[in-house]
Amino acid sequence: MFGLPSTVEVHQPLTKKAFYSRLSLAAPVKDEFVGGIEALCVVAAIKEAACGIPAADGIDEISVLRVDLKTDAVPERALAAITQAVPRKLLLVCCHEGRARLAVMRHGLQVGARWMPEEQLHIALSGSSLTEVWEGLCAQVLFDDALVEDVDARLMREKRIQELEAQAAQLKRKYAKEVQPSKRNAAFKAYKQTKAELSLLKGE
C-alpha cells in the first residue's frame, strides 16, 4: 500500500469513537473528529524487524495511519490531537474519494500541499536508520521530496519566505497608495529590501 514494502504493511483499524472518547478534547476538536473523519486504520508499522532499518535516537517504530475523511477539508485540529495521543512517530495519510494527502507533526501539524490519486502515492523509506527515515518522511510531506538532510532548516526557510512574500505584498500596496513623498520612499525602500532577502532565500 502507498508504495511501502509489503513487510511493513499491517491492518489495524481503530474505533474512532473509542479513540476520541479517551482524550480530553475541546468541543471544536471533537466536532472535527465526528464531522470530518470517517475511519482510522494503521496500515504500516515501520520498524527494524519489518524492514531491516535499525532504530536510532529513540525512534524504534514509525506508524502510518490512514485517515478516511468525510470531505476534502482536512480536520487539522483533530489530526494534531491524534499525533499527540500516539506515543510514536506517526505519518498520516488523509484519503477522500480516491485521493490522498500526507500530514505530519513537525513544529505543529504540517499538511502536504497537494492531493494526489491514491495509486500514485509512493511513500519512500530513505536513510540508513529510522531517524533518517523519519526525516525523509517529513521531507515528503513538507517539500515533496525525500531528502533527509536539514529538514528543520528547510522548513524555517520556507516559513520565512512565506512571511517575506506577505510583507512584500503589504509594502507594495502601501507605497502605491502613499502620497507623502518621504513615507512613499521609505515604503519603497523597505519593499526593495524585502524583495532582496526573498531573492537570496530563493537562490535567485
Side-chain angles (χ1 to χ4, degrees), residues 28 40 51 62 101 103 111 127 160 190 204:
L40 300 168
C51 63
I62 303 166
R101 192 174 179 184
V111 180
R160 181 59 178 160
E204 297 175 346

Side-chain angles (χ1 to χ4, degrees), residues 16 29-39 67-75 78-79 95-96:
K16 184 179 71 171
V29 182
K30 185 176 180 180
D31 289 343
E32 281 195 357
F33 262 99
V34 175
I37 296 175
E38 184 70 43
V67 184
D68 286 295
L69 303 180
K70 294 183 178 181
T71 72
D72 62 1
V74 177
L79 297 184
C95 299
H96 179 66

Side-chain angles (χ1 to χ4, degrees), residues 1-6 8-9 44 46 64 91-93 95 98-102 114-126 133 136-141 143-147:
M1 180 175 281
F2 304 136
L4 289 163
S6 60
V8 305
E9 291 183 3
I46 303 165
V64 179
L91 177 69
L92 303 164
V93 185
C95 299
R99 297 184 303 153
R101 192 174 179 184
L102 298 175
R114 63 190 178 97
W115 289 93
M116 68 180 70
E118 282 190 44
E119 64 271 16
Q120 293 181 15
L121 177 60
H122 186 278
I123 299 172
L125 304 184
S126 301
V133 168
L137 293 175
C138 290
Q140 289 172 71
V141 178
F143 314 115
D144 205 20
D145 63 45
L147 300 177

Side-chain angles (χ1 to χ4, degrees), residues 183-198:
K183 290 184 178 180
R184 179 180 171 85
N185 290 339
F188 183 72
K189 182 179 179 181
Y191 169 75
K192 295 296 286 184
Q193 290 173 338
T194 301
K195 291 292 287 184
E197 186 178 348
L198 260 174

Side-chain angles (χ1 to χ4, degrees), residues 45-108:
I46 303 165
K47 52 188 175 181
E48 185 173 4
C51 63
I53 302 175
D57 301 322
I59 300 179
D60 56 13
E61 183 174 342
I62 303 166
S63 295
V64 179
L65 179 67
R66 179 187 175 108
V67 184
D68 286 295
L69 303 180
K70 294 183 178 181
T71 72
D72 62 1
V74 177
E76 295 190 14
R77 290 177 294 185
L79 297 184
I82 290 171
T83 63
Q84 291 163 0
V86 175
R88 67 182 67 89
K89 299 297 185 183
L90 190 64
L91 177 69
L92 303 164
V93 185
C94 301
C95 299
H96 179 66
E97 294 184 347
R99 297 184 303 153
R101 192 174 179 184
L102 298 175
V104 72
M105 183 64 79
R106 183 93 180 204
H107 302 294

